[in-house]
Amino acid sequence: DGLLGGTPMTELTQNGIQKQLVKQLKKRVGRTTVKHIIMTLKQALDCAVHDDPPKIASNPAAGVTIEMPLNTTKLEKKRFTADLAEKLVAAAIMTGLRQGEQRALRWTDIDFKRGVVQVRRKIEKESKRERERGKTKKAWRDVPINAELLAELKAHKLQQSNHEHVFANADGSVGDGDNWRVVGLKKACRKAGVEVTWQELRHYFASGLVKAGFGKFDICRFMGHESIKTTEQHYLHWIDDPEADAAAAVKIGQAFNF
């Protein structure tokens, strides 16, 4: 009754159920909980369809998903100009930060004198809250950045309106992760003529560390991995053979002019 407002079974529609589930997601109910709700509802309505005699002709929950409509506001769309989208991608490629870490990045986390990005917090994917707790115990780390990115960040800071976060929205709020992926990254990829995921941008950063001659212990530290085992699992083939998967890395690099 709480979810569907006491709507009679015969009056349930796919659109109505979908709207109620979106409301639950907006209330920050966990996606796992919402998945369980859908599964239970589908099973109950399936039983109603197969009752003798059937209580309803078809299952209105059959096509329901937990995909929340993208909240891409006019402000967010305006913010993701091609130039700004490229800055997000450039920072990801040159630092290897996870998306949540980059979204949470503050100007106070950038040491311009030392040329270092200090990873100290992240935006959680589910709750969308900022947490001073990393994905792993070693997620908090210092990542060296090159002169090119330092110059880009300095120029970006001068253009920004004294916001706390490096890649804040025009009003100072933290950008939505889905918008970063669907609007920001896609816009940059479209211009570059390539399709990549945020994780692949991290892989490109790691491949650059390998080519630069960094050992697996340094790569583990800069990537924020829990252990060397994780680094070896993902990148040992690159460390042992720097040419392995080189084509993919070169494609990303050429697409974004790195």
Side-chain angles (χ1 to χ4, degrees), residues 182-193:
V182 177
V183 183
L185 181 57
K186 267 197 173 181
K187 187 182 288 287
C189 287
R190 195 180 304 120
K191 183 176 180 181

Side-chain angles (χ1 to χ4, degrees), residues 70-91:
L70 185 63
N71 183 27
T72 307
T73 63
K74 290 182 180 179
L75 179 64
E76 288 267 2
K77 286 183 177 179
K78 183 179 179 181
R79 169 191 156 25
F80 279 117
T81 61
D83 177 60
L84 289 171
E86 285 175 13
K87 287 178 181 177
L88 293 176
V89 172

Side-chain angles (χ1 to χ4, degrees), residues 51-216:
D51 273 352
D52 189 15
K55 291 185 173 65
I56 52 177
S58 61
N59 188 341
V64 171
T65 70
I66 65 166
E67 293 305 315
M68 188 171 175
L70 185 63
N71 183 27
T72 307
T73 63
K74 290 182 180 179
L75 179 64
E76 288 267 2
K77 286 183 177 179
K78 183 179 179 181
R79 169 191 156 25
F80 279 117
T81 61
D83 177 60
L84 289 171
E86 285 175 13
K87 287 178 181 177
L88 293 176
V89 172
I93 285 176
M94 294 186 189
T95 63
L97 267 60
R98 300 175 177 93
Q99 190 200 81
E101 295 169 344
Q102 191 172 333
R103 288 171 60 207
L105 193 66
R106 300 178 185 179
W107 287 114
T108 53
D109 298 326
I110 299 176
D111 190 329
F112 287 100
K113 289 184 178 180
R114 293 172 54 218
V116 166
V117 168
Q118 301 171 109
V119 183
R120 297 294 182 269
R121 59 191 63 82
K122 71 169 184 176
I123 304 292
E124 290 188 335
K125 186 176 180 180
E126 293 291 341
S127 68
K128 299 184 180 180
R129 295 176 181 174
E130 190 169 299
R131 299 287 189 189
E132 293 189 357
R133 182 182 63 195
K135 182 177 180 179
T136 70
K137 291 179 181 179
K138 296 182 180 179
W140 293 171
R141 61 201 186 276
D142 289 355
V143 181
I145 52 179
N146 61 26
E148 183 182 352
L149 182 56
L150 277 175
E152 286 281 346
L153 290 171
K154 286 178 180 178
H156 178 54
K157 189 174 184 181
L158 289 174
Q159 295 170 3
Q160 207 185 62
S161 303
N162 297 318
H163 296 322
E164 183 179 24
H165 290 87
V166 176
F167 298 105
N169 295 326
D171 64 352
S173 61
V174 177
D176 180 81
D178 286 336
N179 287 344
W180 272 42
R181 175 178 54 82
V182 177
V183 183
L185 181 57
K186 267 197 173 181
K187 187 182 288 287
C189 287
R190 195 180 304 120
K191 183 176 180 181
V194 67
E195 285 190 23
V196 296
T197 65
W198 213 273
Q199 186 64 24
E200 286 173 323
L201 299 182
R202 264 174 66 79
H203 289 336
Y204 178 85
F205 173 72
S207 74
L209 294 176
V210 173
K211 288 180 180 178
F214 286 96
K216 57 187 177 183

Side-chain angles (χ1 to χ4, degrees), residues 3 14 45 51 53 61 88 90 110 158 173 224 230 239 244 248-249 257:
L3 174 66
Q14 179 178 329
L45 293 174
D51 273 352
L88 293 176
I110 299 176
L158 289 174
S173 61
T230 303
I239 297 170
N257 298 315

